Amino acid sequence: MTDEEATAKRKDAHLDLCATGDVEPLGNSTLLEDVRLVHCAMPELSVDEVNLSTEFLGKTLRYPLLITGMTGGTERAGVVNRDLALVAERHGLAFGVGSQRAMAENPQAAESFQVRRVAPTVPLLGNIGLYQAVRMGVDGVRRLADAIGADGMALHLNAGQELTQPEGDRDFRGGYQIVEQLVRAFGARLLVKETGCGIGPDVARRLVELGVRNVDVSGLGGTSWVRVEQLRAEGVQAQVGAEFSNWGIPTAAAIASVRRAVGSGPRLVASGGLRTGLDAAKVIALGADVAGMALPLFRAQQAGGVEGAEKALAVILSSLRQAFVLTGSASCADLQRKPRIIGGQLKDWLATL
């Protein structure tokens, strides 16, 4: 089997597992349950007055939501990307494709990442792994972004996943060097993200010092890509993967601690286990500029196509808007100024970080 065939087979296996598999270990938590927003009995707001717009990648989002990158590289993945990009276009959200490694290995896979026909104005993120970027260099990464008309490029960090993946990377040197090079090439169009194990304040601070202006903390609590690879692995890797499927920094702890560490300048995305509009409101209250989610919309798309994804998104957006009204918040900045209660394990995480 060629590298291209192996990558395509792996991508479809990932979709199968995410659609139906046990990819969200029960012991994992975003710790968003430890965040309580404070009710305002007299909000003095009309629902229509709530302005949820925000700036991202040089464009204005109608809602502070990013459908995060998950797939690409096969015909089935192409349908998922186009369906969800269309939903993002209709509702003024941002959209990210999954890893373009498959496209780099096999130019024929490029079609599965092409969404501009259905989403001409959506803020679009390309995607490549940090250690694939080390090997292909800045010019190779730039070609991937240009090939799909991306507004920005997501550089994903996934050491936990790679160590469990049977065919994954084992050498994690040179990461900060390629980040520095990509900052010079992409500027504010570069986003650095984790893939479900979280970015902590020390790494975030160093990324910002190198000039990174967009960070997605992508914390623990949702799809565990370590678990996904564990379900594909056998023998020692499967056993070790089982031990590490709850490894990471919970999303709530990651976003709150990173915002505290880097200040108000960088744009922060909070993803990792967000499933509802109330989850999105909580991470915005903790300091996120944009809330990211994928699995609930992917599963809705798998069950009912574009219409299914639209119905799921309608519930999320209605819930998000209601959370703003019930806290007396007319904008994202308003919500971030409102009081919130932090307890449980999250309080301990933040004290430690």
Side-chain angles (χ1 to χ4, degrees):
M1 184 183 298
T2 65
D3 288 345
E4 294 89 342
E5 291 169 336
T7 299
K9 183 178 180 180
R10 183 170 68 249
K11 294 301 180 184
D12 275 344
H14 287 170
L15 290 177
D16 287 335
L17 290 167
C18 288
T20 60
D22 176 24
V23 296
E24 298 177 277
L26 292 177
N28 291 1
S29 172
T30 62
L31 297 187
L32 287 171
E33 69 272 16
D34 290 340
V35 180
R36 299 295 298 269
L37 304 181
V38 178
H39 176 60
C40 176
M42 295 184 65
E44 289 290 334
L45 274 176
S46 162
V47 171
D48 293 337
E49 284 183 281
V50 177
N51 179 3
L52 297 178
S53 65
T54 193
E55 299 299 311
F56 188 61
L57 297 178
K59 294 183 176 180
T60 301
L61 303 181
R62 202 181 316 156
Y63 296 94
L65 293 177
L66 163 66
I67 301 178
T68 53
M70 183 176 58
T71 194
T74 68
E75 183 176 348
R76 177 185 175 191
V79 173
V80 173
N81 278 336
R82 287 187 293 275
D83 282 358
L84 294 183
L86 176 60
V87 171
E89 177 76 19
R90 287 176 175 175
H91 295 276
L93 316 182
F95 180 77
V97 298
S99 172
Q100 290 174 264
R101 178 178 181 174
M103 179 176 163
E105 293 174 349
N106 176 16
Q108 293 182 342
E111 178 61 25
S112 66
F113 297 93
Q114 299 292 349
V115 300
R116 279 302 188 199
R117 292 191 299 275
V118 297
T121 68
V122 72
L124 176 62
L125 273 168
N127 191 330
I128 193 65
L130 179 66
Y131 299 99
Q132 284 81 55
V134 170
R135 288 189 283 273
M136 69 176 57
V138 171
D139 288 342
V141 175
R142 185 186 286 112
R143 284 193 294 270
L144 291 178
D146 292 346
I148 64 169
D151 296 291
M153 196 68 183
L155 186 71
H156 71 255
L157 319 177
N158 65 339
Q161 178 185 7
E162 294 286 349
L163 286 170
T164 308
Q165 186 179 107
E167 59 277 70
D169 290 318
R170 298 294 183 270
D171 186 346
F172 303 109
R173 295 171 295 181
Y176 285 114
Q177 183 178 2
I178 192 67
V179 166
E180 192 170 14
Q181 293 169 7
L182 289 170
V183 166
R184 289 198 293 268
F186 284 88
R189 298 175 58 221
L190 180 69
L191 177 141
V192 178
K193 69 185 299 291
E194 238 286 344
T195 52
C197 289
I199 291 177
D202 289 343
V203 170
R205 193 180 294 110
R206 186 165 179 188
L207 291 172
V208 170
E209 288 171 354
L210 291 175
V212 174
R213 306 305 298 162
N214 305 284
V215 176
D216 180 350
V217 300
S218 190
L220 178 72
T223 301
S224 167
W225 287 98
V226 175
R227 171 60 66 87
V228 171
E229 300 300 352
Q230 174 213 333
L231 294 173
R232 294 181 58 243
E234 297 177 351
V236 171
Q237 281 177 304
Q239 293 178 57
V240 175
E243 290 183 37
F244 283 85
S245 62
N246 65 349
W247 179 267
I249 305 169
T251 297
I255 191 62
S257 64
V258 167
R259 176 56 79 196
R260 185 170 60 189
V262 302
S264 60
R267 305 291 286 174
L268 298 186
V269 179
S271 65
L274 276 64
R275 300 292 177 254
T276 68
L278 182 55
D279 287 343
K282 287 182 177 183
V283 296
I284 290 168
L286 291 174
D289 297 291
V290 176
M293 58 179 68
L295 194 68
L297 296 173
F298 166 67
R299 286 183 169 168
Q301 183 272 341
Q302 290 289 281
V306 171
E307 183 179 358
E310 290 266 13
K311 289 179 179 178
L313 181 62
V315 175
I316 291 166
L317 296 182
S318 179
S319 171
L320 177 63
R321 189 174 290 275
Q322 185 158 319
F324 273 69
V325 173
L326 291 179
T327 55
S329 305
S331 67
C332 293
D334 273 357
L335 180 59
Q336 290 169 351
R337 288 190 289 265
K338 300 293 181 179
R340 61 238 179 217
I341 308 300
I342 294 176
Q345 292 184 46
L346 178 56
K347 191 173 183 179
D348 295 335
W349 270 93
L350 294 181
T352 301
L353 290 177

